[in-house]
């Protein structure tokens, strides 16, 4: 009779197998949460569409009309919409994954399951919430006369790469936040800073001429992701190096994230 | 030969309480962050066989809960080891699944979390709900439940899949009389089908009813380990 040693981690392949076995759970939880979220509002699920529309509206009002920073950018509204939505998706995935262990402490203490299910479920939830956002984004793109293009076949792959990156960072975040809740307080400011240096509101190409500084921007995965999306949606020119950098970032984030997360797997639910 | 379900050898569990984790105090006032090490379990050794139900008794702070938490891996062991047949299910009082969702949805999520597929979970939901006996309350969000009602649902979900090893930490105490009876029946049924149960309780009558064997823990060490009646008598006399 084989006995397991408590607190010993399982092999990566076994862990992935267990994650797969929990796929139904990963999808069901965010679906339920989405349903519960807007149940107390008058407009209900219309908010899922209204929220992104209002966001873009505010940014367009401030940076498109009041103090225009749209130099060197055609179709500024399209440019802005893609940037804002893509950025916010990653921000949400990372923040929600980071908080997932703390929020679900009751569940962790109640039932035994691979804990990475929680950040993954948060990621799935944001992917679902992105559907109406994506629809709004596509309408804006079409409204400006950008017709569907072969590049649009890459929408799903780019979205998957983006979420692999965000989940990876979210796993690291969850691991740190389990011990130091300080991270939750810090994250909004990190994202605020990233928002302004990732070329969401302005075109980096028109601000930075120097090759050295352009290379520095490749170190910012959020810039890379936003650029890829713009290329896929409306063909804004993007170099091969941006693809490469994004791929490397995503793979790295996911691998480091998973191993950092698993290193403390058995203690989640404890006191940190 | 009987199969072993749990082997606990020389288990030491201690946890850190950082009474002051704030950097600012340590910088300005020159206070070092205080880290108090609490040695909750100091070398505990015992075996539990498959099909046994064992009571854990002892005063508050004797290390009972810490020992159970170490068995599920929630607290790390700093010496010794715990071997188990499969990872135990822990049933405590404080647990809430998802307060804003209804009882029904919580049952389904609880089942899915244990790795059931969607259709398996749907098939089982009815029987779990019947066991709770919460009737129409299951349509309400769980945050509106009383602690006894939560305990019912929680117990029903955790025992639905008949886990190999069940660790119960005072989880039955909040239920009313009829539910206590019902839950101890289910535990008995479960034990008969090669389940193993460890029960922490201050209700000695409950322990006497549900367990043949009792371990008396005090100050993190075992004082006595033997047939339920003998150990409980000795404990009451102390």
């Amino acid at each position: 009779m084989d006995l397991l040693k408590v607190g010993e981690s399982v092999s990566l392949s076994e862990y992935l197998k267990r994650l797969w076995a929990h796929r139904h759970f990963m999808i069901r939880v965010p679906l339920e949460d989405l349903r519960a979220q807007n149940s107390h509002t008058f407009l209900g699920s219309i908010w899922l569409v209204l929220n992104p529309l209002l966001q873009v509206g505010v940014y367009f009002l401030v940076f498109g009309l009041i103090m225009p920073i749209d130099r060197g950018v055609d179709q500024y509204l399209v440019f802005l919409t893609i940037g804002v939505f893509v950025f916010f998706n990653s921000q949400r995935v990372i923040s929600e994954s980071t908080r997932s262990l703390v929020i679900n402490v009751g569940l962790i203490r109640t039932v035994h399951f691979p804990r990475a299910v929680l950040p993954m479920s948060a990621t799935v939830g944001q992917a679902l919430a992105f559907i109406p956002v994506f629809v709004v984004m596509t309408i804006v793109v079409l409204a400006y006369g950008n017709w569907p293009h072969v590049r649009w076949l890459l929408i799903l792959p780019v979205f998957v790469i983006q979420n692999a990156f965000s989940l990876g960072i979210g796993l690291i975040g969850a691991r740190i936040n389990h011990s130091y809740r300080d991270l939750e307080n810090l994250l909004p400011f990190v994202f605020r800073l990233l928002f302004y240096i990732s070329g969401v509101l302005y075109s980096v190409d028109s601000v930075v001429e120097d090759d050295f500084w352009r290379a520095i921007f490749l170190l910012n995965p959020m810039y890379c992701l936003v650029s890829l999306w713009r290329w896929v949606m409306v063909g804004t020119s993007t170099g091969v190096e941006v693809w490469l950098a994004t791929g490397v970032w995503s793979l790295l984030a996911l691998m480091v994230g998973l191993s950092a997360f698993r290193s403390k797997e058995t203690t989640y639910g404890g006191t940190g | 030969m009987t199969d072993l379900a749990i082997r606990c050898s020389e288990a030491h569990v201690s946890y850190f309480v950082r009474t002051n984790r704030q950097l600012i105090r340590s910088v300005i006032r020159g206070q070092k962050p205080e880290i108090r090490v609490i040695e909750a379990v100091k070398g505990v050794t015992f075996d539990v066989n498959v099909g046994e139900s064992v009571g854990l008794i002892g005063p508050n702070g004797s290390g009972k809960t810490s020992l159970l938490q170490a068995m599920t891996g929630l607290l790390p062991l700093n010496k010794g080891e715990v071997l188990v047949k499969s990872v135990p299910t822990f049933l405590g009082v404080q647990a809430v699944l998802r307060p804003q969702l209804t009882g029904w949805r919580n049952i389904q999520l609880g089942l899915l979390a244990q790795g059931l597929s969607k259709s398996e979970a749907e098939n089982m939901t009815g029987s779990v709900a019947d066991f709770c006996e919460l009737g129409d309350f299951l349509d309400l969000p769980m945050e509106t439940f009383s602690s006894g009602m939560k305990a019912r649902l929680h117990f029903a979900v955790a025992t639905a899949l008949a886990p190999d090893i069940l660790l119960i930490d005072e989880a039955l105490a909040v239920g009313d009389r009829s539910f206590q009876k019902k839950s101890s029946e289910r535990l008995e049924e479960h034990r008969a089908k090669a389940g193993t149960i460890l029960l922490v309780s201050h209700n000695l009558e409950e322990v006497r009813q549900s367990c043949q064997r009792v371990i008396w823990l005090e100050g993190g060490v075992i004082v006595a380990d033997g047939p339920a009646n003998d150990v409980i008598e000795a404990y009451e006399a102390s």
Side-chain angles (χ1 to χ4, degrees):
Chain A
M1 178 73 218
D2 292 340
L3 293 181
L4 303 163
K5 195 171 164 187
V6 171
E8 209 169 44
S9 49
V10 296
S11 69
L12 183 62
S13 65
E14 176 61 26
Y15 194 79
L16 295 177
K17 219 190 293 172
R18 288 186 193 175
L19 282 177
W20 176 245
H22 285 80
R23 63 193 180 280
H24 296 284
F25 179 76
M26 276 182 230
I27 297 165
R28 186 62 179 276
V29 169
L31 273 178
E32 296 290 357
D33 285 350
L34 274 182
R35 206 193 313 235
Q37 235 167 47
N38 290 314
S39 62
H40 295 296
T41 57
F42 178 61
L43 292 176
S45 46
I46 295 174
W47 276 110
L48 292 175
V49 178
L50 207 53
N51 193 344
L53 275 177
L54 288 174
Q55 269 170 5
V56 158
V58 168
Y59 284 109
F60 186 69
L61 186 70
V62 176
F63 297 109
L65 302 175
I66 299 177
M67 41 175 286
I69 51 169
D70 56 351
R71 55 180 172 148
V73 182
D74 320 328
Q75 302 187 342
Y76 185 65
L77 185 62
V78 174
F79 179 90
L80 186 68
T81 308
I82 299 173
V84 168
F85 288 173
V86 167
F87 187 92
F88 281 161
N89 173 256
S90 280
Q91 171 170 358
R92 293 242 171 77
V93 170
I94 294 171
S95 324
E96 292 299 308
S97 307
T98 296
R99 291 169 60 226
S100 63
L101 288 177
V102 172
I103 294 174
N104 292 297
V105 70
L107 196 60
I108 292 177
R109 288 183 182 162
T110 310
V111 275
H112 184 70
F113 58 91
R115 307 311 187 199
V117 162
L118 296 171
M120 288 172 84
S121 165
T123 308
V124 171
Q126 290 309 320
L128 292 174
F130 189 71
I131 295 171
V133 174
F134 177 76
V135 171
V136 171
M137 181 166 111
T138 309
I139 292 171
V140 172
V141 167
L142 291 172
Y144 273 77
N146 305 286
W147 298 114
H149 191 276
V150 183
R151 286 187 316 266
W152 286 24
L153 293 173
L154 289 171
I155 289 173
L156 196 61
V158 167
F159 187 63
V160 170
I161 293 172
Q162 179 187 2
N163 277 278
F165 169 75
S166 313
L167 173 63
I169 301 297
L171 285 166
I172 299 173
R175 158 76 191 84
I176 298 174
N177 200 48
H178 167 64
S179 311
Y180 298 97
R181 303 276 170 85
D182 308 85
L183 186 61
E184 273 181 45
N185 293 326
L186 201 61
L187 268 187
F189 301 102
V190 173
F191 281 114
R192 185 88 332 188
L193 180 65
L194 270 175
F195 185 77
Y196 291 116
I197 62 171
S198 300
V200 177
L201 301 173
Y202 55 89
S203 160
V204 169
D205 285 339
S206 66
V207 180
V208 179
E209 313 258 297
D210 196 321
D211 276 347
F212 172 74
W213 284 105
R214 302 245 329 237
I216 292 290
F217 268 91
L218 293 178
L219 293 177
N220 175 358
M222 292 313 298
Y223 163 74
C224 295
L225 284 166
V226 167
S227 306
L228 282 192
W229 268 98
R230 286 192 182 127
W231 178 77
V232 170
M233 294 304 289
V234 295
T236 314
S237 70
T238 300
V240 183
E241 71 280 1
V242 178
W243 280 97
L244 267 175
T246 315
V248 170
W249 272 116
S250 298
L251 213 59
L252 204 66
L254 203 55
M255 278 175 1
V256 172
L258 203 55
S259 84
F261 187 87
R262 268 164 35 89
S263 71
K264 285 281 175 182
E265 169 87 12
T266 56
T267 67
Y268 302 138
T271 47
Chain B
M1 193 199 128
T2 41
D3 280 335
L4 214 54
I6 304 170
R7 163 159 282 174
C8 196
S9 35
E10 272 303 304
H12 285 254
V13 186
S14 48
Y15 52 90
F16 303 102
V17 180
R18 271 169 275 199
T19 46
N20 169 17
R21 199 185 271 215
Q22 293 178 0
L23 182 70
I24 196 103
R25 288 201 180 173
S26 59
V27 173
I28 296 176
R29 303 193 191 158
Q31 292 174 344
K32 284 210 167 151
E34 266 178 70
I35 299 180
R36 282 184 58 194
V37 181
I38 297 180
E39 279 187 72
V41 179
K42 306 164 188 165
V44 163
T45 303
F46 63 91
D47 282 353
V48 179
N49 290 325
V50 167
E52 248 190 318
S53 103
V54 179
L56 265 178
I57 59 172
N60 290 333
S62 56
K64 303 184 297 290
T65 300
S66 301
L67 184 59
L68 291 196
Q69 288 190 333
M71 285 181 175
T72 58
L74 280 180
L75 283 176
L77 289 172
N78 49 352
K79 232 194 277 171
E81 64 176 8
V82 177
L83 301 174
V84 289
K85 196 176 154 203
S86 67
V87 179
T89 298
F90 182 82
L91 201 54
V93 268
Q94 78 288 49
V96 179
L97 296 163
R98 267 195 141 49
Q100 73 280 25
L101 298 182
T102 63
W104 285 109
R105 299 205 187 284
N106 269 293
I107 293 176
Q108 293 198 334
L109 290 184
L111 293 172
L112 290 174
Q114 295 175 71
L116 290 193
S117 74
K118 211 173 138 194
S119 57
E120 287 170 326
E122 262 156 31
N123 290 337
M124 275 190 88
T125 306
S127 67
V128 175
D130 285 346
F131 188 84
C132 304
E133 288 180 0
L134 290 173
D136 293 342
F137 283 112
L138 287 177
D139 294 327
L140 299 176
M142 245 183 109
E143 55 201 355
T144 63
F145 282 24
S146 73
S147 56
M149 288 158 73
K150 281 180 200 156
R152 281 174 176 234
L153 189 141
H154 189 214
F155 180 86
V157 169
T159 55
L161 294 188
D164 280 338
I165 304 174
L166 194 56
L167 310 178
I168 303 171
D169 189 9
E170 293 281 3
L172 309 181
V174 282
D176 59 22
R177 215 182 163 75
S178 81
F179 193 74
Q180 280 185 8
K181 186 158 170 284
K182 199 170 173 182
S183 51
S184 71
E185 273 166 20
R186 175 171 268 204
L187 291 183
E188 178 52 35
E189 201 179 290
H190 174 48
R191 195 191 55 73
K193 281 189 273 177
T196 303
I197 295 156
L198 240 75
L199 175 71
V200 165
S201 178
H202 291 287
N203 180 347
L204 297 177
E205 208 38 56
E206 180 194 342
V207 175
R208 212 192 294 263
Q209 262 173 26
S210 320
C211 311
Q212 314 100 316
R213 178 180 158 199
V214 168
I215 296 175
W216 169 7
L217 213 60
E218 192 152 345
V221 292
I222 292 179
V223 178
D225 177 355
N229 281 324
D230 301 358
V231 177
I232 290 176
E233 258 169 47
Y235 178 66
E236 279 175 326
S238 72

